[in-house]
Amino acid sequence: MDDRQRPRRPGGRSARVRAAVHQAVTDLISERGYGNFTVGEVAARAGVADSSIYRRWGSLETLLTDVVLTRLEERSPMPDTGSLAGDLRTYAANVAREITGPDGLAVLRLAVALSSNGQQDLQARDAFLAERARQLQLMLDRARDRGEQPPDVLAVLDHIMAPMYIRVLFGAGPLTPDYVDGLVDRLL
Amino acid sequence: MDDRQRPRRPGGRSARVRAAVHQAVTDLISERGYGNFTVGEVAARAGVADSSIYRRWGSLETLLTDVVLTRLEERSPMPDTGSLAGDLRTYAANVAREITGPDGLAVLRLAVALSSNGQQDLQARDAFLAERARQLQLMLDRARDRGEQPPDVLAVLDHIMAPMYIRVLFGAGPLTPDYVDGLVDRLL
């Protein structure tokens, strides 16, 4: 929210560096998998100095977390259509498009890998889950305010997000619009 | 099935080597994550020669696939309780115990990593999914033969397996018996 009040310089050097570094990370994950590249390799591919990355992100872990959260924020915004069914269908369709699109699997695999082990990974995972839950809860709260009876956040995770995530992670069947809508309708 | 007709030598050298190599792989995945160790490191930890691993499995990819499929076979057998609800509840409880137990997350992360990229990984993934689907289909066929109305295999994957997998992968809440039974009851 506060981002909107800040003056933005989309063409500024800082934004260009950030975009180049994010793209380099996504490419390297696609090509080699999580954990198989260094800050130096990210820097070389993005055309920046190693020190620029350390100064801005501090560590590879923090950079990876920033990439995941930014992608989720940008590509799967929370809709506000005026009805719970509309919101969930639109949100589910956004997520489906994101995770089946270019780099989608790489970002999803990164999100899984961040949950693996180590204190930094756990903090990254908690940040990821807390942000996801917060966004979803706002949508469900709006529905309740309108007099609808929304499911809880974990039921949305279990029966809309989880099936789509697992199908993509295991390559088990396409996410057609009918399939995605069906997940929402079954839950409601 | 055919395994049962073959003479087994559970105490034989071949079986001991296999068990030691499997355990070494599982340990290394837990400690370092998928992709961060070599055949030589597996061999050293298992106390066998590199050549024993190459002769038996051919490659690290094939070995990793063997570890995943063996674990799934051994730890999550398909029950036959006489009712669909009983079968699914027992099966779901077995899977929940497996993926929340020691090495459970490591094996699950390996299954996800095998789905990532490359022809060998894709073959491994397909073997994993085909075996899982075959076992489940047998259970569902038995239910249909008894006059019950079973869901299809993909619905079991979407609404029983996927929620449990994602909760474990993202550390999002425990798999209590009530929760696991609730997934089955909701589907049926």
Side-chain angles (χ1 to χ4, degrees):
Chain A
M1 297 290 172
D2 285 338
D3 268 336
R4 295 189 188 172
Q5 275 104 52
R6 267 187 239 147
R8 296 178 62 191
R9 296 184 306 160
R13 169 165 165 73
S14 174
R16 282 201 306 276
V17 166
R18 185 163 186 268
V21 169
H22 275 222
Q23 190 60 51
V25 167
T26 306
D27 291 348
L28 285 166
I29 294 166
S30 291
E31 290 169 21
R32 303 191 195 170
Y34 170 76
N36 296 321
F37 52 87
T38 64
V39 165
E41 289 170 315
V42 173
R45 184 171 297 220
V48 304
D50 292 20
S51 58
S52 297
I53 292 181
Y54 284 113
R55 194 166 53 238
R56 182 164 191 152
W57 285 280
S59 73
L60 186 57
E61 290 294 334
T62 306
L63 169 58
L64 293 174
T65 306
D66 186 38
V67 170
V68 167
L69 293 179
T70 301
R71 281 290 296 257
L72 290 170
E73 287 277 336
E74 288 176 354
R75 308 284 180 92
S76 307
M78 288 286 156
D80 187 2
T81 65
S83 77
L84 178 60
D87 282 359
L88 283 176
R89 280 181 170 222
T90 303
Y91 178 59
N94 286 344
V95 171
R97 193 179 53 244
E98 160 67 6
I99 63 180
T100 58
D103 324 319
L105 179 58
V107 170
L108 192 52
R109 290 180 58 225
L110 176 54
V112 169
L114 286 174
S115 314
S116 57
N117 44 40
Q119 195 54 39
Q120 283 186 308
D121 280 351
L122 287 177
Q123 287 173 358
R125 181 191 79 187
D126 289 347
F128 166 80
L129 288 174
E131 176 58 21
R132 211 54 165 168
R134 187 189 68 77
Q135 294 176 354
L136 269 173
Q137 191 62 59
L138 287 176
M139 179 195 288
L140 300 174
D141 287 347
R142 284 202 308 270
R144 181 166 285 120
D145 291 345
R146 285 190 301 260
E148 300 187 84
Q149 297 189 320
D152 64 27
V153 167
L154 284 177
V156 174
L157 178 68
D158 281 346
H159 296 289
I160 297 179
M161 312 294 282
M164 294 196 294
Y165 284 174
I166 288 295
R167 283 202 174 200
V168 170
L169 284 170
F170 289 107
L175 304 185
T176 65
D178 278 354
Y179 169 75
V180 175
D181 286 349
L183 291 175
V184 173
D185 295 345
R186 182 195 277 258
L187 178 62
L188 296 183
Chain B
M1 295 290 171
D2 285 338
D3 267 336
R4 296 189 187 171
Q5 273 103 52
R6 267 187 238 146
R8 296 178 63 191
R9 296 183 305 160
R13 169 165 165 75
S14 173
R16 282 200 306 276
V17 166
R18 185 162 185 269
V21 169
H22 275 221
Q23 190 60 50
V25 167
T26 306
D27 291 347
L28 285 166
I29 293 167
S30 290
E31 290 168 22
R32 303 190 195 171
Y34 170 76
N36 295 321
F37 52 86
T38 64
V39 165
E41 289 170 316
V42 173
R45 183 170 298 220
V48 304
D50 292 17
S51 58
S52 297
I53 292 181
Y54 283 113
R55 195 166 52 240
R56 182 163 191 154
W57 285 279
S59 73
L60 185 57
E61 289 294 332
T62 305
L63 170 58
L64 293 174
T65 306
D66 186 39
V67 170
V68 168
L69 292 179
T70 301
R71 281 290 297 259
L72 289 170
E73 287 276 338
E74 287 175 354
R75 307 286 180 91
S76 306
M78 287 287 156
D80 188 2
T81 65
S83 78
L84 178 60
D87 281 359
L88 284 176
R89 280 181 170 222
T90 303
Y91 177 60
N94 286 344
V95 171
R97 192 177 56 243
E98 159 67 6
I99 63 179
T100 58
D103 325 319
L105 179 57
V107 170
L108 191 52
R109 289 180 57 225
L110 176 55
V112 169
L114 286 174
S115 314
S116 57
N117 44 41
Q119 196 53 39
Q120 282 185 309
D121 280 350
L122 287 177
Q123 287 174 357
R125 180 191 80 186
D126 289 347
F128 165 81
L129 288 174
E131 176 58 20
R132 212 54 165 166
R134 187 189 68 77
Q135 294 176 353
L136 269 173
Q137 192 61 59
L138 288 176
M139 178 195 290
L140 300 174
D141 287 346
R142 284 201 309 271
R144 181 166 285 120
D145 291 345
R146 285 190 302 260
E148 300 188 84
Q149 296 189 319
D152 65 27
V153 167
L154 284 177
V156 175
L157 178 68
D158 281 345
H159 296 288
I160 298 179
M161 314 294 281
M164 294 196 294
Y165 284 174
I166 289 294
R167 283 202 174 202
V168 170
L169 284 170
F170 289 107
L175 303 185
T176 64
D178 278 355
Y179 169 75
V180 175
D181 286 348
L183 291 175
V184 174
D185 295 345
R186 182 197 277 257
L187 178 62
L188 296 182

